Each structure stands twice: as C-alpha cells, then as structure tokens.
Amino acid sequence: MTNPLFDSLFAPLEQRSKGLLRLANGARLSGTEVFGQIQRAMAALAEAGVKPGDRVAVQIEKSPAALAVYAATLGMGAVFLPLNTAYTAEEVHYFLNDARPRLTLCDPTRAAGLAPLCAAFGGALATLDAAGKGSFAELGLGHLPPPVVPRAGQDLAAILYTSGTTGRSKGAMLTQDNLLSNARALAGLWRFTDQDVLLHALPIFHTHGLFVATNVALLSGGEMIFLPGFDIDSVLRLMPEATAMMGVPTFYTRLLDDPRFTAERAAGIRVFISGSAPLLPETHQQFRERTGQAILERYGMTETNMNTSNPYDGDRRAGAVGFALPGTELRLMTDEGPAAPGAVGVIEVRGRNVFAGYWNMPEKTAEELRPDGWFITGDLGRIDTEGYLHIVGRQKDMVISGGFNIYPVEIEALLDEGPGVLESAVIGLPHPDFGEAVFAVLVGRKGEDVDPVAALESLQGRLARFKQPKAAVVVTALPRNAMGKVQKAELRRLYASWFVK
Ligand code: AMP
C-alpha cells in the first residue's frame, strides 16, 4: 500500500458505480462521482501549494464537497484539520495561529474575518460553501489531479482539537495507523458490510462523525445517508432506508420525544450506536420499550479514537460502555497503583488507536501519554464483575468535599430516579467549610414540576450524607455543546458564589 488510509477508504470509489451518498434532498451520488470530486479537490490543493505534512484547516458545512476535501487532503499526504462550524472568528484565530495551515478553507461568509490572520502567517485562504461552490472549486479547474502521495502508518493524517471543556483546546495528532486500525476494529465488531446504509446526521468536524461514522462506512463499502445535521423530520423520513445509525445521546432522546418514532420506523435498522456523552439508562430503557432494540453504547475520545464497546451479540448494558476493543488495552489506575477489583480508577488505554501526542505541546503530551504508550484519559471508570466498563465521570469533575472523593455520576443516577426528574448534573462549588460542596442542577420532565427539596430528601438513606448535595436548583435545560456533552464548567461558573456569598 502506498497511502494506507486513502487506499482503504477512498481508492475503491474510483470503480464503484453503486451509490455512496444519499442526501436530504433525495439526490444520490455514486462512488465514482464522489471520486471525481476528490480528484478535483486534489488538483485544487496542489494549486494552493499544499505539500505532504502541511495542515489543511477547514471550517465548512458538512457536504459531499467537504467529504471530498477530507479525502483529497489524505491523498495529498497532508494533515486534515477540521474546525467546529460554531467557532467564532476569534476562536478560529487561536487554532490557525497554533497549527499554521498552508491552506484554510471557510464558508464565503467568513472569509473577510479570517483573511488578515492567514495573511499574517503566510497561509492561503479559499472558500467553499455547502453546495461545493467558492474559490476553492475554481482553483483546480483545468488541472490534472496529482498522484496520491505515499504515506507510512505513523505519518499524521489529521489534527483534531479537543473540545476544551476543562481547559485550553489541544490539537490531537492522529496518524494514518491510528485511524485505520480503529476503523477496522469497529467495522468488524459492529459487523459493517457493503450492504449497510448508515444514517449519518453527525457533524464531520468531530471524531464521532468523521472517523467513527464516515471511516467505518467507507471501509466496509456501505452507503451513507449524509445529512447536514440532526433534523428530526429528515431523520424520521429517511430512517426506513437505513440499516444502522450512530448518534449522540441527544439524538436518541429527541427521537423518543417524537411520537412518529415507532418500532415499525426503526425496524430496518440493525444497530443503533451511541457515544460521545453518557447515555442515560432511562433513555436506553425507553428506547428498548419503544423499538424492541437495545442501543449499543461505546466509549472513546478525540485522542484515542474508540476504546471500548458494548458487545454486538450479547448483553448491551445500560449505563456501561462495554469491553476494550480488539487491539486496545485498558486499565484503571489510582495514585497507589492499579485499582482494586470493582474500585474506581482513572482509565488508561494503550494500543494502535492512541494518538501521537498534542501538536506543539510536548509538556502536555508528556503529562498524559506515558513513555510506555499508556494514555491517561482523565475519565474515571469502574469495571463490574462481568468485565463491563462503567464511566464514573471525569477526574476533573470529581468533587472533593471535606476531604472525601465524590463521583457526581453516582449521585446523578439516583437523582434521575426522583419524581419528575428527567436528568441532573452534579458539580462541586467552592464552600468555606468543606472546600467544595456538592450541588445539584435538576431538569424536570416535560410538563412536570420538580421540587428540589423533595429531590434531595429522596437521597436520604440511599447515599452517605457527605455525598448528598447541599443545595439544588431546577432549570429548564442543561448547557450542552454540539456533541451533547453537559458543560459542567459553565454550571460551575454560573453558580460559583452559591455557598460563598
Ligand atoms: P471527545 O474528545 O470530544 O470525543 O470527548 C471525549 C470524552 O467524552 C471522553 O473522555 C468521555 O469523558 C466522554 N465520553 C465519550 N463517550 C462516552 C460514553 N459513552 N459515556 C460517557 N462518557 C463518554
């Protein structure tokens, strides 16, 4: 193989007359058609002066053209750097300054804001809109596509900036081998074949939509229903055409909120997969009651691709993220060494899926990636007697109150069972006596009132006193990012002075 990732995911499209993408407007694109777009994008990248190892930053809407840019960047031996479309120009400045891409692609509406910065470090800027129009499309006109550039497994394929929910965003460097080995492991485990049609409503600037969903579908030769976002009407309309769906938990709660989502509508889907944020056991349960199907939950992160998955056959357990993927090792560590059986520890993983380090941040890399290859995820986990991993929270979310370590997930699970409670977020807030005090933010079910006092009283006798929240508030919704993760830092900021008036 000359360029393992390109050769496995995209080269086969050249000969593939069968469909690859189905779009929301009913249009269908064959593999050959998409391959043509990839070749035009490669010609445009060459014209823009992109060389092997250069970064190509993109902040563009999800579209076939955007997929072609991803493929073409890999084909050129360059490094794909997708940016969340919600980032403001000011935020994008940070990433561009850090990564110094040879070329930045943006929507035409954003070009004026980014041009001065790109000019300052000598990078080119071109535009590409969701319809595939813009200066980038014109760059390659009349030029032959250059040949695919050979790459080795350890060469960089992408840099993905972490969502930065707990600190400064870091650029995770992912190699060809990281991505290809993970796509192979997942496609095998989840039984993807060329008969599959994946309902793809995730963004492609994040590991979930870009690598888990897209790479797995491409590797197995299946089709994708490629939607620009999660629009409930389109998702429900197109679901009967699909055989698999991947989503964040909010996709599944939104489906359950809609009476049009029925067992009949879901019947053609052989597997619903969830990840990127915890799936509430209640959602798992409701989904099973509505459709007769068990959502398959998996766990991963930008730095490591996917690490664990519930089994395809066998018990897909609510509240658990399953077992280590083939080729990935997993362990739980405490300050004193490996966690005792059943005890909570920091999840560490090792394997071909684990990234090469943080771009421009050797100290951060050294803090989190051990010399022997173990990556310290910062997630807290527990392994049950049957070997299933349970995520207990983030290390940085752990509350230390009066010297005791408290894991919010345990408290959230009990609060969620309370009368009228849909979901909850437990955080630690500064407290004059305890250092930190446990605080609960509750969301009620539609049309139901939640009494915060009663919610806290329901914990009596079920949870040690020191773990019980000292106060609770009720809100209409929890702050979430694009991947459905609860923004606990935002909650801590909002309620920072609750106990220290
Ligand atoms: P990201 O790098 O944006 O994909 O975020 C990765 C983080 O999301 C992980 O470190 C976990 O904290 C969280 N996460 C991903 N999948 C799950 C899951 N199935 N359950 C709970 N947390 C998850």
Side-chain angles (χ1 to χ4, degrees):
M1 279 206 187
T2 57
N3 182 320
L5 201 53
F6 187 89
D7 293 351
S8 305
L9 303 185
F10 298 107
L13 298 180
E14 188 171 9
Q15 308 294 338
R16 178 175 149 164
S17 49
K18 119 175 162 70
L20 176 67
L21 301 179
R22 301 184 189 183
L23 307 182
N25 64 6
R28 293 187 180 212
L29 293 176
S30 69
T32 331
E33 284 170 303
V34 175
F35 196 77
Q37 289 199 25
I38 296 171
Q39 294 216 298
R40 287 192 289 281
M42 282 180 72
L45 290 175
E47 283 307 299
V50 171
K51 300 273 180 301
D54 282 346
R55 276 77 58 211
V56 174
V58 305
Q59 191 188 31
I60 50 180
E61 295 304 323
K62 179 179 174 186
S63 68
L67 181 66
V69 173
Y70 165 50
T73 305
L74 296 177
M76 298 294 289
V79 181
F80 189 62
L81 197 167
L83 293 168
N84 191 325
T85 44
Y87 286 148
T88 62
E90 196 178 310
E91 287 167 308
V92 171
H93 276 194
Y94 163 74
F95 300 113
L96 298 189
N97 236 333
D98 191 45
R100 303 286 161 122
R102 165 79 55 198
L103 172 69
T104 300
L105 286 184
C106 69
D107 194 79
T109 55
R110 292 172 173 264
L114 296 178
L117 182 80
C118 292
F121 66 78
L125 179 71
T127 59
L128 187 67
D129 69 13
K133 302 251 172 340
S135 63
F136 181 72
E138 282 149 37
L139 263 182
L141 287 179
H143 295 277
L144 283 177
V148 171
V149 174
R151 290 279 88 180
Q154 68 273 20
D155 284 329
L156 287 194
I159 295 178
L160 258 59
Y161 279 86
T162 58
S163 51
T165 44
T166 46
R168 176 138 247 193
S169 215
K170 295 165 281 188
M173 300 190 287
L174 295 151
T175 66
Q176 286 241 337
D177 192 50
N178 293 153
L179 302 181
L180 191 52
S181 65
N182 207 238
R184 285 194 175 128
L186 296 175
L189 198 69
W190 297 337
R191 313 266 171 88
F192 271 82
T193 71
D194 59 3
Q195 297 304 301
D196 273 309
V197 180
L198 176 69
L199 185 48
H200 190 314
L202 290 158
I204 55 167
F205 52 73
H206 183 269
T207 183
H208 193 170
L210 183 62
F211 299 143
V212 185
T214 308
N215 287 359
V216 165
L218 286 164
L219 185 72
S220 42
E223 277 186 76
M224 289 185 268
I225 300 175
F226 209 59
L227 303 179
F230 186 88
D231 166 58
I232 186 86
D233 293 333
S234 309
V235 168
L236 286 169
R237 178 169 54 84
L238 294 164
M239 186 173 281
E241 291 183 24
T243 65
M245 176 170 165
M246 295 186 194
V248 292
T250 34
F251 285 14
Y252 296 115
T253 51
R254 282 194 230 163
L255 281 172
L256 287 167
D257 276 346
D258 197 307
R260 291 173 295 170
F261 180 60
T262 57
E264 295 72 49
R265 205 176 276 274
I269 302 233
R270 63 174 183 84
V271 64
F272 287 95
I273 299 171
S274 176
S276 290
L279 183 77
L280 292 177
E282 182 182 298
T283 310
H284 194 282
Q285 189 51 34
Q286 283 177 0
F287 200 91
R288 199 192 271 266
E289 280 161 18
R290 181 87 64 93
T291 64
Q293 301 206 44
I295 297 176
L296 188 160
E297 188 171 5
R298 80 343 172 241
Y299 155 66
M301 60 200 304
T302 303
E303 291 91 330
T304 62
N305 299 280
M306 299 305 104
N307 296 315
T308 74
S309 170
N310 268 280
Y312 188 83
D313 294 320
D315 192 11
R316 298 176 191 168
R317 203 161 279 188
V321 293
F323 311 106
L325 297 180
T328 299
E329 294 173 87
L330 174 81
R331 69 180 186 190
L332 300 182
M333 297 296 282
T334 66
D335 290 342
E336 286 81 44
V344 171
V346 177
I347 301 171
E348 296 193 7
V349 293
R350 181 163 74 172
R352 283 170 70 185
N353 55 313
V354 174
F355 77 145
Y358 293 114
W359 176 260
N360 274 346
M361 289 186 172
E363 307 81 29
K364 273 273 163 222
T365 304
E367 274 170 33
E368 296 178 23
L369 192 56
R370 298 184 191 275
D372 59 1
W374 285 99
F375 176 66
I376 306 165
T377 65
D379 289 315
L380 296 164
R382 179 175 64 72
I383 294 177
D384 67 23
T385 48
E386 280 149 288
Y388 286 77
L389 177 68
H390 298 247
I391 310 277
V392 182
R394 289 285 296 162
Q395 204 173 14
K396 288 183 179 146
D397 277 349
M398 190 175 75
V399 183
I400 306 182
S401 187
F404 292 108
N405 292 355
I406 297 165
Y407 305 112
V409 177
E410 185 190 5
I411 306 165
E412 289 161 3
L414 292 178
L415 284 171
D416 293 351
E417 291 171 14
V421 178
L422 173 70
E423 59 175 349
S424 58
V426 166
I427 52 174
L429 295 178
H431 188 283
D433 289 338
F434 300 105
E436 278 187 302
V438 182
F439 183 79
V441 184
L442 306 168
V443 179
R445 278 180 225 276
K446 218 183 267 170
E448 287 186 50
D449 278 337
V450 178
D451 175 1
V453 177
L456 295 186
E457 274 169 4
S458 74
L459 302 176
Q460 300 291 351
R462 305 182 72 196
L463 203 60
R465 264 214 108 77
F466 73 90
K467 295 184 190 171
Q468 293 179 18
K470 304 228 171 334
V473 289
V474 178
V475 298
T476 46
L478 297 173
R480 287 198 144 85
N481 72 6
M483 298 310 292
K485 287 187 217 301
V486 176
Q487 304 292 75
K488 287 200 169 175
E490 173 70 11
L491 290 176
R492 281 192 286 266
R493 198 184 54 73
L494 269 175
Y495 298 106
S497 53
W498 192 273
F499 299 108
V500 284
K501 298 261 165 28

Short mmCIF file of all heavy atoms in Angstrom, two decimals, residues 161-165 206-208 249 274-279 297-303 306-308 320-321 377-380 391-394 481 483 485, ligand 1:
data_model
loop_
_atom_site.label_atom_id
_atom_site.label_comp_id
_atom_site.label_asym_id
_atom_site.label_seq_id
_atom_site.Cartn_x
_atom_site.Cartn_y
_atom_site.Cartn_z
N TYR A 161 -8.73 19.27 17.26
CA TYR A 161 -8.64 19.97 18.53
C TYR A 161 -9.70 19.43 19.48
O TYR A 161 -10.85 19.20 19.08
CB TYR A 161 -8.79 21.48 18.32
CG TYR A 161 -7.49 22.09 17.85
CD1 TYR A 161 -7.14 22.10 16.51
CD2 TYR A 161 -6.57 22.57 18.78
CE1 TYR A 161 -5.92 22.60 16.09
CE2 TYR A 161 -5.34 23.08 18.37
CZ TYR A 161 -5.03 23.10 17.03
OH TYR A 161 -3.80 23.59 16.63
N THR A 162 -9.28 19.20 20.72
CA THR A 162 -10.22 18.68 21.72
C THR A 162 -11.24 19.77 22.04
O THR A 162 -10.97 20.96 21.82
CB THR A 162 -9.48 18.27 23.01
OG1 THR A 162 -8.79 19.42 23.50
CG2 THR A 162 -8.47 17.17 22.73
N SER A 163 -12.38 19.35 22.59
CA SER A 163 -13.44 20.34 22.78
C SER A 163 -13.09 21.34 23.88
O SER A 163 -13.71 22.38 24.00
CB SER A 163 -14.77 19.65 23.05
OG SER A 163 -14.62 18.70 24.07
N GLY A 164 -12.06 21.02 24.67
CA GLY A 164 -11.60 22.01 25.64
C GLY A 164 -12.61 22.33 26.72
O GLY A 164 -12.70 23.47 27.17
N THR A 165 -13.40 21.31 27.13
CA THR A 165 -14.41 21.58 28.14
C THR A 165 -13.77 21.85 29.50
O THR A 165 -14.38 22.43 30.38
CB THR A 165 -15.41 20.41 28.28
OG1 THR A 165 -14.68 19.20 28.28
CG2 THR A 165 -16.41 20.40 27.14
N HIS A 206 -15.79 16.43 14.10
CA HIS A 206 -15.51 15.76 15.36
C HIS A 206 -15.22 14.29 15.10
O HIS A 206 -15.70 13.73 14.12
CB HIS A 206 -16.74 15.93 16.28
CG HIS A 206 -16.58 15.36 17.64
ND1 HIS A 206 -16.93 14.06 17.95
CD2 HIS A 206 -16.10 15.89 18.80
CE1 HIS A 206 -16.68 13.83 19.23
NE2 HIS A 206 -16.17 14.92 19.76
N THR A 207 -14.48 13.67 15.99
CA THR A 207 -14.06 12.27 15.81
C THR A 207 -15.24 11.33 15.56
O THR A 207 -15.15 10.39 14.77
CB THR A 207 -13.22 11.80 17.02
OG1 THR A 207 -12.76 10.48 16.78
CG2 THR A 207 -13.98 11.84 18.33
N HIS A 208 -16.37 11.59 16.20
CA HIS A 208 -17.51 10.69 16.10
C HIS A 208 -18.04 10.62 14.65
O HIS A 208 -18.11 9.55 14.05
CB HIS A 208 -18.60 11.18 17.06
CG HIS A 208 -19.71 10.22 17.30
ND1 HIS A 208 -20.64 10.40 18.28
CD2 HIS A 208 -20.05 9.07 16.70
CE1 HIS A 208 -21.49 9.39 18.27
NE2 HIS A 208 -21.15 8.58 17.32
N PRO A 249 -26.24 10.90 22.54
CA PRO A 249 -27.47 10.61 23.29
C PRO A 249 -28.63 11.55 22.99
O PRO A 249 -29.79 11.12 22.95
CB PRO A 249 -27.02 10.72 24.75
CG PRO A 249 -25.57 10.35 24.71
CD PRO A 249 -25.05 10.90 23.41
N SER A 274 -24.48 4.58 20.20
CA SER A 274 -24.43 5.88 20.89
C SER A 274 -23.06 6.09 21.52
O SER A 274 -22.41 5.15 21.99
CB SER A 274 -25.51 5.93 21.98
OG SER A 274 -25.41 7.14 22.71
N GLY A 275 -22.66 7.36 21.58
CA GLY A 275 -21.41 7.70 22.25
C GLY A 275 -21.18 9.18 22.27
O GLY A 275 -22.03 9.96 21.83
N SER A 276 -20.03 9.58 22.80
CA SER A 276 -19.56 10.97 22.96
C SER A 276 -20.03 11.60 24.26
O SER A 276 -19.48 12.61 24.69
CB SER A 276 -19.96 11.89 21.80
OG SER A 276 -19.23 11.55 20.66
N ALA A 277 -21.08 11.07 24.84
CA ALA A 277 -21.57 11.55 26.14
C ALA A 277 -22.35 10.39 26.74
O ALA A 277 -22.76 9.48 26.00
CB ALA A 277 -22.44 12.78 25.96
N PRO A 278 -22.56 10.39 28.06
CA PRO A 278 -23.25 9.24 28.66
C PRO A 278 -24.70 9.14 28.22
O PRO A 278 -25.42 10.13 28.17
CB PRO A 278 -23.15 9.50 30.16
CG PRO A 278 -22.57 10.86 30.34
CD PRO A 278 -22.10 11.37 29.03
N LEU A 279 -25.10 7.93 27.89
CA LEU A 279 -26.50 7.65 27.56
C LEU A 279 -27.20 7.31 28.87
O LEU A 279 -26.78 6.36 29.56
CB LEU A 279 -26.56 6.46 26.60
CG LEU A 279 -27.93 6.07 26.09
CD1 LEU A 279 -28.39 7.03 25.00
CD2 LEU A 279 -27.92 4.65 25.52
N GLU A 297 -23.86 1.13 23.24
CA GLU A 297 -23.07 2.28 23.67
C GLU A 297 -21.58 1.96 23.63
O GLU A 297 -21.16 0.87 24.02
CB GLU A 297 -23.47 2.71 25.08
CG GLU A 297 -22.79 4.02 25.46
CD GLU A 297 -23.28 4.63 26.77
OE1 GLU A 297 -24.10 3.99 27.45
OE2 GLU A 297 -22.83 5.74 27.10
N ARG A 298 -20.82 2.93 23.14
CA ARG A 298 -19.36 2.75 23.09
C ARG A 298 -18.70 4.00 23.68
O ARG A 298 -19.35 5.02 23.93
CB ARG A 298 -18.91 2.42 21.69
CG ARG A 298 -18.73 3.48 20.59
CD ARG A 298 -19.33 4.77 20.78
NE ARG A 298 -19.09 5.85 19.90
CZ ARG A 298 -18.53 7.01 20.26
NH1 ARG A 298 -18.03 7.21 21.44
NH2 ARG A 298 -18.47 8.01 19.43
N TYR A 299 -17.40 3.89 23.94
CA TYR A 299 -16.68 4.99 24.61
C TYR A 299 -15.37 5.28 23.89
O TYR A 299 -14.62 4.37 23.55
CB TYR A 299 -16.42 4.59 26.06
CG TYR A 299 -15.25 5.25 26.74
CD1 TYR A 299 -15.26 6.62 27.01
CD2 TYR A 299 -14.14 4.51 27.14
CE1 TYR A 299 -14.17 7.22 27.65
CE2 TYR A 299 -13.07 5.10 27.79
CZ TYR A 299 -13.08 6.46 28.03
OH TYR A 299 -12.02 7.06 28.65
N GLY A 300 -15.12 6.55 23.68
CA GLY A 300 -13.86 6.94 23.06
C GLY A 300 -13.61 8.41 23.27
O GLY A 300 -14.36 9.07 23.98
N MET A 301 -12.56 8.90 22.66
CA MET A 301 -12.27 10.33 22.77
C MET A 301 -11.38 10.75 21.60
O MET A 301 -10.79 9.89 20.93
CB MET A 301 -11.64 10.66 24.12
CG MET A 301 -10.35 9.95 24.41
SD MET A 301 -9.98 9.92 26.19
CE MET A 301 -10.02 11.65 26.59
N THR A 302 -11.29 12.05 21.41
CA THR A 302 -10.52 12.57 20.28
C THR A 302 -9.11 11.97 20.24
O THR A 302 -8.63 11.57 19.18
CB THR A 302 -10.43 14.11 20.40
OG1 THR A 302 -11.76 14.62 20.44
CG2 THR A 302 -9.71 14.72 19.23
N GLU A 303 -8.45 11.88 21.38
CA GLU A 303 -7.05 11.46 21.43
C GLU A 303 -6.85 9.98 21.12
O GLU A 303 -5.76 9.56 20.76
CB GLU A 303 -6.45 11.72 22.82
CG GLU A 303 -6.25 13.18 23.17
CD GLU A 303 -7.46 13.79 23.88
OE1 GLU A 303 -8.60 13.32 23.62
OE2 GLU A 303 -7.26 14.71 24.68
N MET A 306 -11.84 5.22 19.32
CA MET A 306 -12.72 4.47 20.24
C MET A 306 -11.91 3.47 21.06
O MET A 306 -10.96 2.86 20.55
CB MET A 306 -13.82 3.75 19.46
CG MET A 306 -14.70 4.71 18.69
SD MET A 306 -15.43 6.00 19.75
CE MET A 306 -14.44 7.42 19.33
N ASN A 307 -12.32 3.31 22.30
CA ASN A 307 -11.61 2.42 23.22
C ASN A 307 -12.40 1.17 23.59
O ASN A 307 -11.83 0.09 23.72
CB ASN A 307 -11.30 3.15 24.54
CG ASN A 307 -10.37 4.31 24.33
OD1 ASN A 307 -9.38 4.18 23.61
ND2 ASN A 307 -10.68 5.45 24.91
N THR A 308 -13.68 1.36 23.86
CA THR A 308 -14.48 0.22 24.34
C THR A 308 -15.83 0.24 23.63
O THR A 308 -16.28 1.27 23.13
CB THR A 308 -14.76 0.27 25.85
OG1 THR A 308 -15.74 1.29 26.11
CG2 THR A 308 -13.51 0.53 26.67
N ALA A 320 -23.36 1.19 30.85
CA ALA A 320 -21.99 0.65 30.73
C ALA A 320 -21.51 0.89 29.31
O ALA A 320 -22.30 1.03 28.38
CB ALA A 320 -21.98 -0.84 31.02
N VAL A 321 -20.18 0.94 29.14
CA VAL A 321 -19.62 1.17 27.81
C VAL A 321 -18.89 -0.07 27.29
O VAL A 321 -18.19 0.01 26.27
CB VAL A 321 -18.71 2.42 27.77
CG1 VAL A 321 -19.54 3.68 28.00
CG2 VAL A 321 -17.58 2.33 28.80
N THR A 377 -6.52 8.90 30.28
CA THR A 377 -7.67 9.56 29.65
C THR A 377 -8.25 10.69 30.49
O THR A 377 -8.89 11.59 29.96
CB THR A 377 -8.82 8.57 29.41
OG1 THR A 377 -9.29 8.11 30.67
CG2 THR A 377 -8.39 7.39 28.55
N GLY A 378 -8.08 10.61 31.82
CA GLY A 378 -8.74 11.60 32.69
C GLY A 378 -10.18 11.22 33.01
O GLY A 378 -10.84 11.89 33.80
N ASP A 379 -10.66 10.14 32.40
CA ASP A 379 -12.00 9.64 32.75
C ASP A 379 -11.87 8.67 33.91
O ASP A 379 -10.90 7.92 34.00
CB ASP A 379 -12.64 8.91 31.55
CG ASP A 379 -13.03 9.86 30.45
OD1 ASP A 379 -13.61 10.92 30.75
OD2 ASP A 379 -12.76 9.55 29.27
N LEU A 380 -12.88 8.69 34.77
CA LEU A 380 -12.88 7.76 35.90
C LEU A 380 -13.79 6.59 35.56
O LEU A 380 -14.90 6.79 35.03
CB LEU A 380 -13.41 8.46 37.15
CG LEU A 380 -12.53 9.60 37.64
CD1 LEU A 380 -13.29 10.48 38.63
CD2 LEU A 380 -11.27 9.05 38.30
N ILE A 391 -18.35 4.33 33.03
CA ILE A 391 -17.70 5.63 33.19
C ILE A 391 -18.33 6.29 34.42
O ILE A 391 -19.56 6.40 34.50
CB ILE A 391 -17.93 6.53 31.97
CG1 ILE A 391 -17.59 5.81 30.68
CG2 ILE A 391 -17.17 7.84 32.11
CD1 ILE A 391 -16.18 5.79 30.28
N VAL A 392 -17.49 6.73 35.32
CA VAL A 392 -17.99 7.29 36.58
C VAL A 392 -17.85 8.81 36.58
O VAL A 392 -18.29 9.48 37.50
CB VAL A 392 -17.22 6.64 37.75
CG1 VAL A 392 -17.71 7.12 39.09
CG2 VAL A 392 -17.36 5.13 37.68
N GLY A 393 -17.24 9.36 35.56
CA GLY A 393 -17.10 10.82 35.48
C GLY A 393 -15.72 11.19 34.99
O GLY A 393 -14.92 10.32 34.63
N ARG A 394 -15.46 12.48 34.97
CA ARG A 394 -14.13 12.97 34.61
C ARG A 394 -13.37 13.22 35.90
O ARG A 394 -13.95 13.70 36.87
CB ARG A 394 -14.23 14.31 33.87
CG ARG A 394 -14.79 14.29 32.48
CD ARG A 394 -13.87 13.75 31.44
NE ARG A 394 -12.65 14.52 31.22
CZ ARG A 394 -11.58 14.01 30.60
NH1 ARG A 394 -11.58 12.78 30.17
NH2 ARG A 394 -10.50 14.75 30.41
N ASN A 481 -22.72 21.16 24.66
CA ASN A 481 -22.01 21.56 23.44
C ASN A 481 -22.58 20.78 22.25
O ASN A 481 -23.55 20.02 22.40
CB ASN A 481 -20.49 21.39 23.59
CG ASN A 481 -20.07 19.93 23.60
OD1 ASN A 481 -20.88 19.03 23.39
ND2 ASN A 481 -18.81 19.70 23.86
N MET A 483 -21.75 18.22 20.74
CA MET A 483 -21.77 16.77 20.80
C MET A 483 -22.66 16.28 21.94
O MET A 483 -22.65 15.10 22.28
CB MET A 483 -20.35 16.22 20.98
CG MET A 483 -19.42 16.56 19.85
SD MET A 483 -20.11 16.17 18.20
CE MET A 483 -20.16 14.39 18.24
N LYS A 485 -22.47 17.08 25.10
CA LYS A 485 -21.83 16.97 26.42
C LYS A 485 -22.30 18.11 27.31
O LYS A 485 -22.31 19.26 26.88
CB LYS A 485 -20.31 17.10 26.28
CG LYS A 485 -19.66 15.91 25.67
CD LYS A 485 -18.15 16.13 25.78
CE LYS A 485 -17.42 15.61 24.58
NZ LYS A 485 -17.59 14.21 24.33
P1 AMP B 1 -14.31 13.98 22.75
O1 AMP B 1 -12.83 14.04 22.73
O2 AMP B 1 -14.98 15.26 22.41
O3 AMP B 1 -14.83 12.84 21.92
O4 AMP B 1 -14.74 13.68 24.26
C1 AMP B 1 -14.31 12.50 24.88
C2 AMP B 1 -14.92 12.37 26.21
O5 AMP B 1 -16.33 12.17 26.11
C3 AMP B 1 -14.42 11.16 26.96
O6 AMP B 1 -13.18 11.40 27.57
C4 AMP B 1 -15.55 10.93 27.94
O7 AMP B 1 -15.42 11.79 29.05
C5 AMP B 1 -16.78 11.32 27.15
N1 AMP B 1 -17.46 10.16 26.57
C6 AMP B 1 -17.34 9.64 25.33
N2 AMP B 1 -18.14 8.57 25.17
C7 AMP B 1 -18.79 8.40 26.34
C8 AMP B 1 -19.75 7.48 26.83
N3 AMP B 1 -20.25 6.52 26.05
N4 AMP B 1 -20.17 7.62 28.12
C9 AMP B 1 -19.68 8.59 28.90
N5 AMP B 1 -18.79 9.50 28.50
C10 AMP B 1 -18.34 9.41 27.24
#
